[in-house]
Amino acid sequence: MVDTRTMDMTTAPAMADGAPGLRGESARQSLLRLLTWLSPSFPTGGFSYSHGLEYAVEEGLVAEWRSLAGWVSALVEHGAGRTDAVLFCTIHNAVATDDAGAFDRAAEIAAVMRGTRELALESTAQGAAFLTTLRAAWPDPAREAWADRIAASGREATHAVAVALAAAAAGIALAPALAAFLHAFAANIVSAGVRLVPLGQTDGQRALAALEPVVLRCAAAAPLIPLDDIGGRAPLADWTSLRHETQYTRLFRS
Amino acid sequence: MPVSVPAPARLRVHGTAEVAFRHADGASRLAHLYQHDPLKVLFPTVPAGEPPWAVLVTTSGGMVGGDRLDVRAEVRDGAEALVTTQAAEKVYRSAEPDCLMEVALAAGPGGALEWLPQETILFDQARLRRTTRADLSGDARLMAGEMLVFGRTAMGERFRRGLARDAWEIRRDGRLVWADAQHLDGGCAAVLDDPACYGGAVATGTILCVGPGAAGLLDRARDLLDAPPDGVRAAAGIVEDILLVRWLGREARAMRGAYGAFWAGMREAFLGRPARLPRLWHV
């Protein structure tokens, strides 16, 4: 009899077995994977993207930690965070229920909703790097089959789609996965803000602390938003991204 | 004691306007027309150098909850046309179902279509879902835009609550290449004021140029946007070879003026048409 608790965790099957004795352990494994996959040191190149914040700082729209927290809060709740969160839920549910049609539809919408060239780069370059790294370090044929569906359609997986399909394929529940993804999105832009404004590290953490309830609220709201209501209400963030393309001095790729 | 009086029953309207042009005998000619109240299509005499114009008129004076307007505008192989609207579209306050506007644009190989509706004004507590879909074949060109105004700003009204959904889908040879969706709902005033959301804007706009040559006009577009009026933010970029211009205005009239001036310059650069707008745009 195989004692699954001693199995190599990197090749362990998804936790869907639901064996009562393993539940706590599976949850802890899910936690570890979310911490790793959405860590700033995970090699997706996240440090090189500011989501247009670089231009917002240049324009004086963000100048200290409170305005940074406010800016990022709007991106999470009203901008790319809202759109990505709805797609994240749809992709996660599609993988979890083996619904290829719903998966293909959401992956296509994610791939073509490109607010600006630089925001599309931020999203697809990170998505590709995320899946490449997982393929090397956490091989899983079931996950690859979903990723291959996107590649076969000639589309690119966005970061949200990549994380959602990987989390679902690994048996990581939607709620913690989505909260972790939105938190990582917010933390990445806060990190860019700390470098751009610039701010002290403690002010960066103040911004993150202020963003906690926003991330939790958005993660809770997203599963209730129908795909027909997808979209953002932060056109000014898109405007800063477009203006960033011609900004004279640029540290960031978006 | 207040008495609750039910609103008078009003029939929901479902207006349709379909117009298609074809190229024949060296000119673009009307190939198909269908109109159903409250939409009508007028064909004014056009100035020299212009393709045919189709002007849409909404005879009901505006939309209320549950109303639906379907517009279909097409240029077939090699044909050219401009389709515009006679006046701003008004969407009234309603607790009823959403108002729907479905716009379908199509252009065949060698065709060039301009979709230049006037602005849509959302009264406070209006509910609008608008989708603009474009299907282009081969080397077809499309220049299309939309403007939304949040509230009757001239009388100080703000769009405090309601639904403003404005979505785009662009297909080339049947393949979806670009989509976009603005979805503002619920309590809207704080979002319109938020510095990262609308930054106090009361109007937004989008202009797209799709087809051969569009991406090469980015510098020209940026030159045209170089000195926007006070309170108007506009910026251009390229996504999927589509030239995309986004507009935000703290003052609807100023934005409309800059939007129109930009349009006039870009239609000349992209479509080789005179650098001016139909006169009804200036009324």
Side-chain angles (χ1 to χ4, degrees), chain A residues 145-252:
Chain A
W146 290 105
D148 288 348
R149 293 190 70 86
I150 302 176
S153 71
R155 310 279 187 193
E156 295 171 284
T158 63
H159 195 204
V161 167
V163 176
L165 79 87
I172 302 172
L174 173 62
L178 177 56
F181 174 78
L182 290 174
H183 168 75
F185 171 69
N188 194 53
I189 304 169
V190 167
S191 166
V194 167
R195 284 171 279 165
L196 283 166
V197 173
L199 296 176
Q201 293 296 336
T202 307
D203 276 351
Q205 298 307 312
R206 288 189 174 105
L208 280 178
L211 281 158
E212 259 179 23
V214 179
V215 166
L216 292 172
R217 185 165 71 236
C218 293
L224 307 174
I225 300 173
L227 202 52
D228 283 348
D229 284 359
I230 197 172
R233 46 290 190 91
L236 211 142
D238 285 347
W239 176 80
T240 62
S241 171
L242 288 171
R243 298 287 294 182
H244 183 260
E245 292 182 15
T246 54
Q247 194 170 334
Y248 185 67
T249 308
R250 293 151 40 103
L251 295 173
F252 290 83

Side-chain angles (χ1 to χ4, degrees), chain A residues 71 74 78 82 112-117 153-155 228-239 242 245-246, chain B residues 129 165 175-176 178-179 181-183 185 191 194-199 222 233-235 237-240 244 246 248:
Chain A
W71 187 270
H78 302 300
R82 182 179 192 271
V112 299
M113 280 202 135
R114 307 185 148 211
T116 71
R117 183 175 59 77
S153 71
R155 310 279 187 193
D228 283 348
D229 284 359
I230 197 172
R233 46 290 190 91
L236 211 142
D238 285 347
W239 176 80
L242 288 171
E245 292 182 15
T246 54
Chain B
R129 285 178 185 268
R165 179 174 181 81
R175 180 174 169 86
L176 184 64
W178 187 75
Q182 174 178 206
H183 190 98
D185 60 359
V191 180
D194 189 295
C197 291
Y198 291 81
R222 285 179 171 155
R233 287 170 160 146
I238 303 292
V239 274
E240 296 294 316
L244 164 68
R246 295 189 186 275
L248 285 156

